Amino acid sequence: MTAAGGILLAAMLGTTTATATATATATPAAPQRPAAAADCRPLAEASAQAQAVVNAACSQLGVPYSWAGGSIHGPTYGKDYPHGGPGSHDSQVKGFDCSHLVQYAAWQGAGIRLPEGSWNQAQWQGATARFDRGQGTAPLQPGDLVLWARDPGNLGTVHHIAVYLGGGKMVEARESGTRVMVSTVRLNAQYAGAIRITGGGGGPAPGTKRYVTWGTGVNLRAQPSTRSETKARLNGPTSVDVQCQKHAEPVEAEGHRNDAWSYLPAYGAWISNIFIDDPKAWLDVPVCDF
């Protein structure tokens, strides 16, 4: 995405105070030394999609925790925790909080776009299976998301989330002053069960690569031109599967200009790359031959 797109996206999709506050209330515990990279991997049989989620999370092992930090693209600077303590300078720390590490792993590993905030992720309607606290870890598979809540019977109070590895282990961004680490799943009074996000056929369509859009009221065109017929309109950030791209009519935003357009076969329509949330203006997909 262009620099202008990045500026606009940051303004529109910034982490809310509520999200950051909820993340910061994870059950306190003594800092743990990060595990060796070899310890962070699927520890049981799992689908290729679930393994990819685990591998994406494990790729960030050792990255600092940063309150409200992280995005689907990687670590970012967080926010200063307003109640002091180790997180009081997290605006100077580039890393992840718990929900953004999970969001990163789901997107980078499987093209699954999870919502912001651990409590919203816990209630995500795209979950393919749910497990309550009474089941413990026995039915869980690598790639499942394990949850902790102030009231384990109310997923709206979930304040911490992590990626399950198997064998009672998980990878998590735990709290300020620590780094992304492998831990033993804490089956304590706040354990709220788990959800499965894989296995729903939600991966990119064959021959495409998944991206997410930004902005509201984004028009998808019959041809790569703003003067062409509008075939669909995206009301908010949306996962889209891109088949290919081409240079066509330039589109301008905030003084920046981009002439790249991408073809979305699911819509039979084109979108200006300005509205695709990616650091690159020219995406990692082939050039269209039509």
Side-chain angles (χ1 to χ4, degrees), residues 1-41:
M1 185 173 65
T2 63
I7 293 170
L8 291 172
L9 179 65
M12 295 175 61
L13 300 181
T15 304
T16 63
T17 301
T19 298
T21 301
T23 300
T25 58
T27 306
Q32 298 184 13
R33 185 180 65 183
D39 296 329
C40 196
R41 54 186 173 82

Side-chain angles (χ1 to χ4, degrees), residues 112-115 120-127 130 195-197:
I112 296 171
R113 174 69 179 191
L114 294 177
N120 287 326
Q121 292 167 353
Q123 299 175 90
W124 184 54
Q125 294 184 350
R130 293 184 176 275
I195 66 171
R196 182 163 297 154
I197 62 171

Side-chain angles (χ1 to χ4, degrees), residues 4 29 40 42 106 162 170 200 202 213 218-219 247:
C40 196
M170 63 184 177
T213 67
V218 175
N219 291 321
H247 294 291

